[in-house]
Amino acid sequence: MIVSAALQKVDAYVDDVLSGNIVTCQLVQQAVQRYVNDLQKQSTKDFPYHYDKVSAEIAIEFIENMICHSIGDFQGMPFLLERWQAFAIANIFGWKRDDDNSRRFRKVYWSMGRKNGKSCIGAAIAIMMASFDLNPKTGNLENVAEVVLSATKKEQAKVIYSEIERMRAQSRHISDMSTNINKEIKFSHNLGSIRCLGSDKPFDGLNPTCCIKDEL
């Protein structure tokens, strides 16, 4: 069986955490062990979830092939995920519910130390969800996929939006399929959009497919 480079990253990270080659905290160890345990019991009577390797692979490869770093020494270079990042992305987008093939995880809390690329990951996920998310029922692109970036203040929400703007400028593919007008990025092929808001300036009538909350 051929395993993609994207999924090799995930497998290597799991092996190194469980073997102790990578030193991690207890919560990370438990997350990795849960992943291994869940693979063994997927789609059983008491565990109605399955791991879709294709969906996990697509999510990782979208970020690595469509998104580029926007600042620093790696500006303009592909956003190649670290193994721990690939593991998290694979879990978020790979696990599905047996009954309707929608995502197992509807809410994700991702905490990391400063200067570990929190805004970069949030921006990459926002771009992917707005432009390339698949509808579980039809298997086609999610139509009018609405992504909102939120925080207690709108100015804080703009931190990730600014990163999205820079990433968009670095990627010819993303730039060609989208516009950036009045602080809202819109995609022409599926009418997806990205915008930010804060509790100080709320919007009515939202129907988001993805909400990213910064500094929760």
Side-chain angles (χ1 to χ4, degrees):
M1 180 178 66
I2 298 176
V3 180
S4 70
L7 296 184
Q8 284 179 351
K9 282 187 177 184
V10 177
D11 292 342
Y13 180 74
V14 169
D15 291 342
D16 282 346
V17 169
L18 294 181
S19 67
N21 290 334
I22 295 179
V23 178
T24 64
C25 68
Q26 184 180 23
L27 290 177
V28 172
Q29 294 171 8
Q30 290 173 340
V32 171
Q33 189 62 60
R34 181 188 67 180
Y35 168 79
V36 174
N37 294 343
D38 289 354
L39 285 177
Q40 297 174 349
K41 62 183 180 182
Q42 58 181 316
S43 296
T44 56
K45 180 180 178 181
D46 298 322
F47 190 80
Y49 309 104
H50 64 276
Y51 183 61
D52 184 346
K53 290 184 177 181
V54 174
S55 293
E57 180 181 3
I58 287 174
I60 294 171
E61 292 194 343
F62 178 92
I63 294 175
E64 295 194 332
N65 289 282
M66 297 291 285
I67 307 295
C68 295
H69 288 284
S70 66
I71 58 176
D73 295 339
F74 297 105
Q75 180 179 354
M77 297 178 64
F79 188 173
L80 301 180
L81 297 172
E82 298 289 337
R83 291 188 296 171
W84 61 272
Q85 295 171 322
F87 171 77
I89 292 295
N91 271 270
I92 295 169
F93 293 96
W95 283 103
K96 303 292 184 65
R97 300 170 185 240
D98 287 344
D99 56 353
D100 60 4
N101 209 41
S102 63
R103 291 191 186 94
R104 171 188 177 187
F105 299 114
R106 308 292 178 85
K107 295 181 181 179
V108 175
Y109 177 76
W110 195 342
S111 177
M112 63 187 76
R114 290 179 59 82
K115 300 303 179 182
N116 274 275
K118 173 169 61 69
S119 295
C120 293
I121 282 290
I125 290 175
I127 293 172
M128 179 170 59
M129 291 291 288
S131 66
F132 202 70
D133 193 26
L134 298 180
N135 185 298
K137 293 187 179 298
T138 66
N140 299 321
L141 289 179
E142 186 70 47
N143 194 38
V144 197
E146 185 176 11
V147 175
V148 295
L149 314 173
S150 64
T152 55
K153 298 293 183 182
K154 191 173 182 179
E155 289 304 313
Q156 180 63 41
K158 287 181 180 179
V159 172
I160 292 182
Y161 187 85
S162 296
E163 178 64 19
I164 293 171
E165 288 183 312
R166 292 190 295 266
M167 284 182 168
R168 176 181 176 274
Q170 291 293 332
S171 172
R172 177 177 59 84
H173 301 291
I174 301 299
S175 295
D176 288 348
M177 67 175 67
S178 64
T179 60
N180 184 11
I181 302 174
N182 296 327
K183 290 298 179 180
E184 182 174 11
I185 294 175
K186 292 185 176 182
F187 294 89
S188 56
H189 63 288
N190 70 332
L191 303 181
S193 65
I194 304 173
R195 56 176 168 166
C196 56
L197 60 110
S199 61
D200 52 334
K201 294 182 180 179
F203 285 90
D204 294 324
L206 292 173
N207 186 29
T209 57
C210 175
C211 180
I212 297 178
K213 300 179 180 181
D214 195 14
E215 301 292 353
L216 183 61

